[in-house]
Amino acid sequence: MSEVELKQIVKIFPGSTKALDEIDLKVKDRELMVILGPSGCGKSTLLRIVSGLEKATDGRVFIDGQDVTEQEPGTRDIAMVFQNYALYPHMTVFKNLAYGLKNRKINKSEINRRVKEVAETLQIEEYLDRKPSQLSGGQRQRVAMGRAIARNPKVFLFDEPLSNLDAKLRVQVRLEISRLQSELGVTSLYVTHDQVEAMTLGHRLVLMNEGRIEQIGEPLQVYESPETLFVAGFIGSPPMNLVPGELNEKGEFNLGSTVKIKLDDFQIKFNKLTLGIRPEHLLTDGAGEVVLGKLTVENYERQGADNYLYGKINGLSHPLITRVPADTIHSVGSTINLSCEKNKLHFFCSDTGLRIENKKDT
């Protein structure tokens, strides 16, 4: 068992800047948990506290059931992969892979065996005699991963390891990380601001904002049922359409001056609400249960398999984004009858930002 548990972690930097605010988190044995959020939300600080590179102001860190809060990084039996590779430039690939093992007084034959095994796994055997300056970015990242794997640690920590790679390499290395984590079964924490990485790699996601955890769940669960306005607006590309409105005396949601939606299925206790609809759930044939009105196309983007339409509905101040098939052509200025199925609507309290549950889901 190699669980990682954080209890009431607080981090306050000089100047009273609170980077982390009472974080409680448990990473299961053999799980790959992704920590996602915008720059400055505290995700890398959290990872550094797990590693021991940063000390928490308050709270405790447990690895494998043992309190390691006061332990130095070298005694926690973890391995960290950074975005800048952190390779020794004067050493060959072989020596970089062997460095941590040598420091731990592993015998020479075992070091050679582990390095050879890791090199074969990552397909970097032919680079063992080269130095980092002679490698591409993707090859350097494989070496950085190999150095972590060779140590056979209890926990892997990844701090935005793909951010320096181009789009094609990111896909390749992402697939390698997923495969290796599955084969090795090492408990892993992976920090990123990239939604594609988070959705494809994580067994579970932790979405952070301003030092707090907004939501924890499986990737699809977080996407389909965001618990807060922040999550709804952050997850998804393009993001969820979020439109504020008010509840009238008839129990209808007034969306601008023309659209009214009956909310019989929702547990409404607030007057000021925000409606959320994913772009892919807006129907352009007007056949959905909830008729929103005519969208006037103001902009149009072709993105290969999909096209995105940007526009406004008459009487509605907020613009909307809808996704349509690639073979659907619309010109700027044209109009489309927008609608949506009722079970694809999301409602949030505008004041608290919290999700309003559908009665059918409770």
Side-chain angles (χ1 to χ4, degrees):
M1 294 287 287
S2 294
E3 287 187 347
V4 176
E5 187 171 8
L6 307 176
K7 292 185 176 181
Q8 294 289 289
I9 295 295
V10 174
K11 179 62 181 180
I12 302 174
F13 287 112
S16 300
T17 301
K18 184 175 282 190
L20 296 172
D21 188 2
E22 298 186 354
I23 298 294
D24 287 309
L25 183 65
K26 180 179 285 188
V27 189
K28 302 173 186 175
D29 183 45
R30 304 173 69 90
E31 179 178 34
L32 197 165
M33 176 173 276
V34 174
I35 303 175
L36 177 68
S39 297
C41 71
K43 54 188 185 296
S44 289
T45 300
L46 187 64
L47 203 71
R48 290 173 63 83
I49 286 174
V50 175
S51 72
L53 295 173
E54 195 79 57
K55 295 294 184 183
T57 305
D58 199 3
R60 314 302 296 175
V61 179
F62 296 85
I63 297 176
D64 211 7
Q66 180 183 2
D67 189 338
V68 299
T69 309
E70 305 302 327
Q71 288 186 14
E72 295 300 313
T75 63
R76 296 192 183 194
D77 198 11
I78 59 174
M80 197 162 182
V81 180
F82 299 91
Q83 65 185 56
N84 62 355
Y85 319 128
L87 301 176
Y88 296 105
H90 63 288
M91 293 184 181
T92 64
V93 169
F94 181 94
K95 289 182 177 179
N96 267 283
L97 293 174
Y99 184 79
L101 301 175
K102 187 177 179 181
N103 282 351
R104 298 173 74 183
K105 311 299 183 185
I106 306 293
N107 66 64
K108 190 173 182 180
S109 61
E110 177 64 10
I111 290 175
N112 289 337
R113 185 192 70 78
R114 288 201 201 177
V115 169
K116 181 181 178 182
E117 185 178 88
V118 168
E120 288 177 352
T121 299
L122 292 171
Q123 299 177 358
I124 54 175
E125 307 102 304
E126 61 184 288
Y127 310 129
L128 290 176
D129 294 327
R130 298 186 189 180
K131 291 184 177 179
S133 61
Q134 298 172 294
L135 304 178
S136 69
Q139 291 162 352
R140 292 180 199 178
Q141 195 55 277
R142 288 180 184 177
V143 176
M145 289 166 53
R147 186 174 56 188
I149 293 168
R151 288 183 50 194
N152 193 25
K154 288 181 179 178
V155 179
F156 282 146
L157 303 179
F158 296 91
D159 189 8
E160 304 204 40
L162 310 186
S163 61
N164 289 336
L165 305 182
D166 62 41
K168 184 176 180 181
L169 275 175
R170 280 202 300 271
V171 174
Q172 293 175 357
V173 179
R174 186 174 76 227
L175 291 172
E176 286 181 3
I177 291 175
S178 180
R179 175 181 63 83
L180 287 168
Q181 198 278 335
S182 178
E183 289 178 0
L184 300 172
V186 179
T187 305
S188 302
L189 263 171
Y190 187 107
V191 160
T192 184
H193 63 271
D194 187 294
Q195 293 189 36
V196 175
E197 287 179 32
M199 294 295 291
T200 55
L201 278 174
H203 299 157
R204 285 191 298 158
L205 300 184
V206 178
L207 194 52
M208 292 187 62
N209 179 35
E210 297 182 343
R212 300 184 303 274
I213 292 176
E214 291 273 341
Q215 186 170 352
I216 302 174
E218 295 178 3
L220 193 59
Q221 174 195 5
V222 174
Y223 184 83
E224 292 182 340
S225 301
E227 292 180 358
T228 68
L229 272 172
F230 173 82
V231 176
F234 189 84
I235 291 287
S237 181
M240 181 182 286
N241 293 291
L242 296 172
V243 186
E246 293 187 357
L247 193 67
N248 66 21
E249 65 281 356
K250 297 179 181 179
E252 298 170 325
F253 178 66
N254 287 347
L255 193 64
S257 60
T258 58
V259 182
K260 292 179 173 57
I261 303 172
K262 194 69 174 175
L263 300 183
D264 295 337
D265 294 336
F266 291 86
Q267 303 179 34
I268 306 297
K269 300 177 182 178
F270 316 95
N271 287 330
K272 293 183 178 180
L273 309 176
T274 298
L275 167 68
I277 313 175
R278 293 274 178 209
E280 63 268 28
H281 295 151
L282 283 170
L283 306 176
T284 57
D285 57 4
E289 296 173 84
V290 179
V291 177
L292 299 174
K294 288 188 176 182
L295 178 95
T296 301
V297 178
E298 297 180 340
N299 208 339
Y300 188 83
E301 286 185 340
R302 295 185 180 184
Q303 296 192 13
D306 298 301
N307 294 333
Y308 294 99
L309 306 178
Y310 300 78
K312 287 183 179 178
I313 293 175
N314 185 34
L316 188 63
S317 59
H318 282 65
L320 296 176
I321 308 169
T322 181
R323 189 175 77 184
V324 296
D327 58 357
T328 304
I329 306 299
H330 293 279
S331 59
V332 173
S334 62
T335 58
I336 303 162
N337 291 318
L338 279 190
S339 64
C340 182
E341 297 301 336
K342 207 164 189 178
N343 63 359
K344 299 300 183 183
L345 300 178
H346 305 264
F347 285 96
F348 304 87
C349 172
S350 297
D351 292 329
T352 65
L354 297 178
R355 179 185 182 84
I356 296 170
E357 293 297 332
N358 190 314
K359 294 175 183 177
K360 295 178 181 178
D361 297 332
T362 58

